[in-house]
Amino acid sequence: MDIRFDGKRALVTGAGKGIGREIVKLLTECGAAVVAVSRTQADLDSLKAETGCEVILADLTQTEEARRAATSAGAIDLLVNNAGIAVIQPFLEASVEGWDETMAVNLRSAFLISQIVALGMVERGKGGAIVNVSSQASMAAIHGHAAYGASKAGLDHLTRVMALELGPHQIRCNAVNPTVILTPMGEKVWGDPVKSAPMIARIPLGRFGYPNHVAQAVAYLLSDQADMITGATLPVDGGYLVG
Ligand code: NAP
């Protein structure tokens, strides 16, 4: 199965590091013209040098910056809402600031960007595909993940409502739900072997994932090979969610 995106224009958020960066590389290899959005200029500069992508610097917690990024990206056929943060705090100690920032990046920015991008898709009448990068933490309770898990459960449901309302315009909307992926975020949250060992023990495949595992699932869901798939939440979790 050869996935190609020649002639397509893709927008990827949170593209500076980790999973988003890998998605930009893969979509570029598959022939897409990619616009990368992130909030650290040095990451965008190195990504542009590596892939030839276009770049937009934006802090997606800011409504007008998110809208400006989506508008200035131009006519987008493929959207990946990947930007996310993990503020891990025990529920009884969780801060309202952590809650608000988590919601702003992980859920609200996907709403803001998707609304503008999908409006353009509807106006052009050629359909499109959107993938939201969610998490296994949307479906399973994990210690310290109250805000994070709630934001990703919200993202899963946003995905379903978007699939319902945008389906008649041939715009497909899906989510991927990774387990721990070894990125800067994954290392920050799970880098301590004392914490990671019980998590690995619950994953049937017995290992954490890498950014390319998520990028390949995203590319599939964006591609014409997934032409009849919309509203899905696809675990990329080594089987964690079966338990
Ligand atoms: P990462 O290594 O921390 O990279 C996240 C990227 O998003 C960074 O480039 C970051 O930029 C950018 N970003 C964060 N907040 C932003 C904002 N307000 N505006 C614009 N860009 C912003 O994270 P990752 O592990 O690749 O995670 C990517 C996605 O996968 C997230 O949605 C995450 O929740 C999800 N996920 C990750 C894992 C995991 O274990 N890694 C598991 C399941 C799901 P700066 O570095 O400049 O802040």
Side-chain angles (χ1 to χ4, degrees):
M1 190 165 63
D2 188 18
I3 291 176
R4 294 301 308 170
F5 297 119
D6 303 287
K8 305 270 190 193
R9 191 168 168 82
L11 175 60
V12 180
T13 72
K17 298 183 175 75
I19 293 167
R21 195 174 180 96
E22 192 71 19
I23 292 169
V24 172
K25 289 191 214 168
L26 183 56
L27 298 188
T28 304
E29 281 167 23
C30 294
V34 182
V35 184
V37 177
S38 205
R39 67 176 170 185
T40 299
Q41 187 66 51
D43 289 341
L44 291 173
D45 291 345
S46 63
L47 186 59
K48 182 178 181 178
E50 206 175 330
T51 67
C53 69
E54 296 170 42
V55 298
I56 297 173
L57 185 71
D59 177 354
L60 299 178
T61 63
Q62 303 303 306
T63 303
E64 289 316 315
E65 284 194 42
R67 287 184 171 149
R68 175 187 53 78
T71 305
S72 59
I76 295 298
D77 307 292
L78 312 169
L79 168 63
V80 184
N81 290 303
N82 165 79
I85 59 166
V87 180
I88 305 304
Q89 299 172 322
F91 174 71
L92 291 177
E93 297 160 24
S95 67
V96 72
E97 292 79 12
W99 177 275
D100 286 347
E101 195 187 354
T102 301
M103 293 299 162
V105 183
N106 297 10
L107 182 54
R108 193 168 174 277
S109 80
F111 158 69
L112 291 168
I113 302 257
S114 297
Q115 196 175 47
I116 288 174
V117 168
L119 193 58
M121 289 173 175
V122 170
E123 284 169 359
R124 288 189 301 280
K126 293 195 299 185
I130 298 173
V131 174
N132 294 325
V133 180
S134 181
S135 169
Q136 65 183 9
S138 73
M139 302 186 198
I142 301 175
H143 281 281
H145 284 59
Y148 185 83
S151 73
K152 296 298 190 178
L155 189 60
D156 285 359
H157 203 69
L158 177 66
T159 305
R160 288 186 281 267
V161 175
M162 284 168 51
L164 179 70
E165 295 193 13
L166 300 176
H169 301 283
Q170 301 308 312
I171 300 168
R172 296 183 300 101
C173 304
N174 293 291
V176 291
N177 299 67
T179 187
V180 177
I181 302 295
L182 295 169
T183 66
M185 178 193 289
E187 297 283 2
K188 181 184 122 194
V189 179
W190 297 100
D192 176 1
V194 174
K195 189 173 172 192
S196 64
M199 174 56 86
I200 291 173
R202 287 196 51 181
I203 299 173
L205 291 182
R207 49 191 160 90
F208 290 156
Y210 289 98
N212 70 312
H213 290 122
V214 184
Q216 285 163 3
V218 168
Y220 168 68
L221 288 171
L222 290 175
S223 76
D224 289 344
Q225 279 88 342
D227 184 45
M228 198 58 185
I229 302 177
T230 195
T233 46
L234 176 65
V236 184
D237 69 341
Y240 176 85
L241 288 167
V242 301

